Amino acid sequence: MPRRSVGTRRYMTILRKAARPLLASVFVSGGLRTLRDPDPLTPAAASVALPLAQRVPGLPVDAQRLVRINGALQLGAGLLLATGRLPRISALALAASLVPTTIAGHAWWNAEEPEERARQRLQFTKNLSLFGGLLIAAADTHGKPSLAYRSRAAAASAGRSVRRRASAV
């Protein structure tokens, strides 16, 4: 595996420190807005949130509470991502929260007027882009090998060591 220069690592560190808050900002502001006033989002969310709540044990069967829970999750995970605390887990949490939000809030296929359909399709596509960015953030290992890679490398090294010792006997 080729080594990166110190300059490249420093550049990537600066890039991460700038990109994470930018990606998280929409979730922090949206989560805060939702916690303060969930009423505008509750009717649209009910069509997705209530069937989900009936299938997932422990979730309240109240659309407004589910909207607030989603807002709290987006606010909390957004702040964690923005500050670089648990960035991979917070990015995954945000990605998971984005799925029902997108389906409930931007169902462009249900819009009848062409202008509304185009607006909802744009918002749906924007959320897909955010989802992709969150998946990249969730996979980012800060330039270090992933746990899976390190596990495979350790297993291969142990296998080589065992074979060397077995052949020496």
Side-chain angles (χ1 to χ4, degrees):
M1 179 189 281
R3 308 277 276 155
R4 290 187 188 170
S5 70
V6 174
T8 301
R9 279 184 271 154
R10 187 174 299 133
Y11 169 74
M12 291 304 292
T13 300
I14 293 169
L15 185 62
R16 278 184 196 94
K17 288 189 184 296
R20 284 183 184 144
L22 292 172
L23 180 59
S25 65
V26 70
F27 297 102
V28 172
S29 65
L32 188 59
R33 185 176 54 249
T34 299
L35 280 175
R36 287 182 177 162
D37 185 19
D39 294 335
L41 302 174
T42 301
S47 65
V48 173
L50 294 178
L52 182 67
Q54 292 170 352
R55 289 186 179 92
V56 177
L59 284 180
V61 186
D62 174 22
Q64 187 176 51
R65 285 188 63 205
L66 289 168
V67 167
R68 282 193 177 194
I69 289 169
N70 192 53
L73 181 127
Q74 288 187 349
L75 176 62
L79 287 171
L80 286 172
L81 181 62
T83 58
R85 306 274 188 248
L86 303 172
R88 296 179 75 190
I89 293 170
S90 59
L92 279 176
L94 289 169
S97 78
L98 198 55
V99 173
T101 300
T102 302
I103 293 170
H106 305 297
W108 59 269
W109 51 90
N110 291 333
E112 294 179 15
E113 295 181 22
E115 296 85 22
E116 178 64 14
R117 188 177 187 93
R119 190 175 69 75
Q120 290 300 338
R121 186 180 296 135
L122 177 67
Q123 292 301 316
F124 185 89
T125 306
K126 176 204 54 122
N127 281 9
L128 285 180
S129 299
L130 285 170
F131 189 78
L134 290 166
L135 291 180
I136 290 170
D140 181 25
T141 61
H142 304 276
K144 299 173 188 161
S146 69
L147 183 58
Y149 174 85
R150 291 184 300 202
S151 299
R152 284 191 304 270
S157 175
R160 285 190 301 271
S161 178
V162 166
R163 282 191 296 277
R164 272 194 305 263
R165 290 179 190 218
S167 66
V169 174

